Amino acid sequence: MKTLPAPLLAKISWRLLPFLLLMYIMAFLDRANVGFAKQAFQADTGLSDAAFAFGAGVFFVGYALLEVPSNLILHRVGARLWMCRIMVSWGLVSAAMVFAHNETSFYVLRFLLGVAEAGFFPGVILYLTYWFPQAVRGKAMGFFYFGAPLAFIFGSPLSGLLLEMDGFAGIHGWQWLFAVEGLMATAVGIWAYWYLDNRPADATWLTTDERQQIQRLLDSEDQHKTSHGRSLLTVLCQPSVLYLCLVYLLIQASVYGVVFYLPTQVGGLLGTKVGLMVGLVSAIPWLCALFAAWWIPSYCDRTGLRRQTACLTLLMAAAGIACSVTFANPLLGMLALCFAASGFIAVQPVFWTFPSSYLAGSAAAASIALINSFGALGGFIAPVIKHWAEGAFNSPAAGLYLLSATTVLAALLVLGIHSPGRTASKTPATV
């Protein structure tokens, strides 16, 4: 399969991927910091576990409702303006969480946070298809997925430190957490307006010949994909797209079933409250996930064994989720969390190579957003079914055992996904 010369790929990668990575770090921090705030927030507001689970999940309802229209707008107006709008608005809503003093305000702000952030993730996935050919897209997406583990590696200690500022200037620690991390996202969003280029044709940092090389290759790939010639409704109702929606829903249920409760779980393993120490230890599984997000997508690009590798990676995550509550030993429990985090983070850039291999244009924009919407519903369902299972079986481990089982189901379903096949190239590529 044809690809771009290695020096040109490196030039594009170093220009775009670090900044997109920074944006994803901000997104993941603002999405998951509610897990760090959980104990202190509930102590100050009196929120019950059921109310917290619903509030943590309702974010994904607003997120899912606007995914498709948001991504279609990005496809029309460009990433430069739309990514700025998304990040600025979600940062301000996240910072407004300092005013969440009861169930109603918590639910409303979490819902609005989902509305504000809707379209960010599928927008970036779509944006990468404008710049990277199929042969190296998995590796580029893998680099982008560094954002989730890096958000926890650096964000976990930051979140823990902000929580320990409790009482400084008369402000609760959880309020410092939401305010500081929300305003950081707003600042990056403003920067995005001046930094991003919508398409290769707009990139003044590329030569005319380089811009033409990129466009010729991407145009030749798009000729074989589903594009503007079919109605969006027809594309969205394709069995292959709906199948991907189901798989991604199950993957995201495992992700957020762990993410929202990981600081509390680590605190339980260490026998201490959530603070700086828990933040530092919580970063360990994400260091492992960082390596996995680099190696596994690269391996898939080289071999083309995407479905098989994705299946095994999800089985590893399922085993890690189950074992994290099976072992009472803190060391074994942390080791299991390392496998869980590595598996469900590394499988995602591999997964996104499937829809981007046969969708283009507005069809890609809408379908990628729809698939991510179902993933968002998985994020809503996960804390709810986790809380239900723990109550129904009168066991604090039952929720994670259930999520482990749904992850096994996702692994089996991955084997039925249409695969783009071998995309390795004899031409070396640096991403």
Side-chain angles (χ1 to χ4, degrees):
M1 180 175 288
K2 294 181 180 179
T3 188
L4 297 170
L8 178 54
L9 277 170
K11 188 175 182 179
I12 298 168
S13 300
W14 282 109
R15 169 72 186 190
L16 296 180
L17 293 180
F19 190 79
L20 295 174
L21 177 63
L22 174 63
M23 293 169 68
Y24 192 36
I25 290 172
M26 295 295 103
F28 218 87
L29 270 180
D30 283 341
R31 189 181 302 182
N33 58 15
V34 69
F36 272 94
K38 179 180 184 294
Q39 285 183 340
F41 180 67
Q42 286 184 268
D44 286 335
T45 61
L47 221 65
S48 68
D49 286 341
F52 178 83
F54 181 80
V58 79
F59 162 91
F60 294 98
V61 177
Y63 190 84
L65 287 174
L66 294 177
E67 284 281 79
V68 173
S70 179
N71 223 32
L72 289 173
I73 292 172
L74 184 145
H75 181 64
R76 180 175 293 272
V77 306
R80 184 171 174 244
L81 174 63
W82 200 242
M83 283 299 178
C84 171
R85 194 286 303 164
I86 289 174
M87 293 197 70
V88 170
S89 60
W90 104 50
L92 293 176
V93 173
S94 182
M97 282 287 293
V98 300
F99 303 112
H101 293 292
N102 54 44
E103 288 185 13
T104 302
S105 57
F106 180 52
Y107 296 161
V108 169
L109 286 170
R110 286 290 297 175
F111 177 80
L112 290 177
L113 183 63
V115 168
E117 193 182 322
F120 169 75
F121 183 84
V124 173
I125 297 299
L126 180 66
Y127 187 64
L128 290 174
T129 68
Y130 298 159
W131 295 85
F132 293 95
Q134 180 67 28
V136 292
R137 198 172 294 152
K139 192 173 181 181
M141 290 180 182
F143 189 91
F144 173 64
Y145 263 96
F146 284 9
L150 285 176
F152 284 100
I153 292 169
F154 297 108
S156 295
L158 172 62
S159 297
L161 183 62
L162 290 170
L163 285 174
E164 295 196 353
M165 291 177 63
D166 190 52
F168 181 73
I171 299 174
H172 293 299
W174 59 268
Q175 291 176 308
W176 279 113
L177 172 63
F178 288 125
V180 171
E181 294 182 357
L183 293 176
M184 286 167 57
T186 298
V188 173
I190 295 170
W191 185 10
Y193 182 79
W194 303 104
Y195 188 85
L196 294 179
D197 295 293
N198 291 331
R199 301 269 188 161
D202 305 315
T204 57
W205 44 274
L206 293 173
T207 67
T208 302
D209 182 61
E210 288 171 337
R211 292 195 290 269
Q212 291 174 349
Q213 282 188 69
I214 298 169
Q215 204 57 58
R216 278 197 302 268
L217 179 54
L218 295 176
D219 287 345
S220 68
E221 289 186 350
D222 286 349
Q223 289 176 1
H224 307 289
K225 298 178 182 180
T226 302
S227 60
H228 303 277
R230 300 173 65 181
S231 73
L232 288 180
L233 183 61
T234 300
V235 171
L236 294 178
C237 291
Q238 286 185 98
S240 58
V241 173
L242 296 177
Y243 191 88
L244 290 171
C245 289
L246 174 61
V247 174
Y248 198 58
L249 183 151
L250 294 171
I251 292 173
Q252 290 299 294
S254 70
V255 172
Y256 287 103
V258 174
V259 164
F260 282 144
Y261 295 91
L262 187 137
T264 306
Q265 191 175 355
V266 171
L269 288 170
L270 298 179
T272 184
K273 69 176 184 178
V274 178
L276 181 58
M277 178 56 68
V278 169
L280 291 169
V281 176
S282 295
I284 295 173
W286 306 111
L287 283 169
C288 299
L290 190 66
F291 171 77
W294 169 77
W295 188 80
I296 289 176
S298 299
Y299 172 80
C300 290
D301 276 351
R302 291 195 305 271
T303 65
L305 300 175
R306 290 192 165 93
R307 289 178 300 170
Q308 301 91 322
T309 305
C311 176
L312 291 174
T313 303
L314 281 169
L315 291 175
M316 177 179 71
I321 292 170
C323 291
S324 70
V325 286
T326 301
F327 300 125
N329 182 288
L331 181 60
L332 292 178
M334 284 301 302
L335 183 62
L337 287 173
C338 289
F339 279 102
S342 297
F344 61 61
I345 291 297
V347 76
Q348 293 182 72
V350 179
F351 171 87
W352 283 112
T353 62
F354 297 122
S356 65
S357 69
Y358 60 89
L359 295 165
S362 58
S367 298
I368 289 170
L370 182 68
I371 293 165
N372 200 57
S373 295
F374 274 78
L377 290 178
F380 171 71
I381 292 168
V384 175
I385 64 171
K386 180 179 182 294
H387 178 75
W388 168 83
E390 290 168 353
F393 295 96
N394 196 28
S395 167
L400 288 180
Y401 284 139
L402 177 58
L403 290 170
S404 175
T406 61
T407 308
V408 171
L409 178 58
L412 298 177
L413 291 176
V414 159
L415 294 176
I417 293 176
H418 166 70
S419 176
R422 184 179 178 89
T423 58
S425 172
K426 296 180 181 180
T427 305
T430 303
V431 178

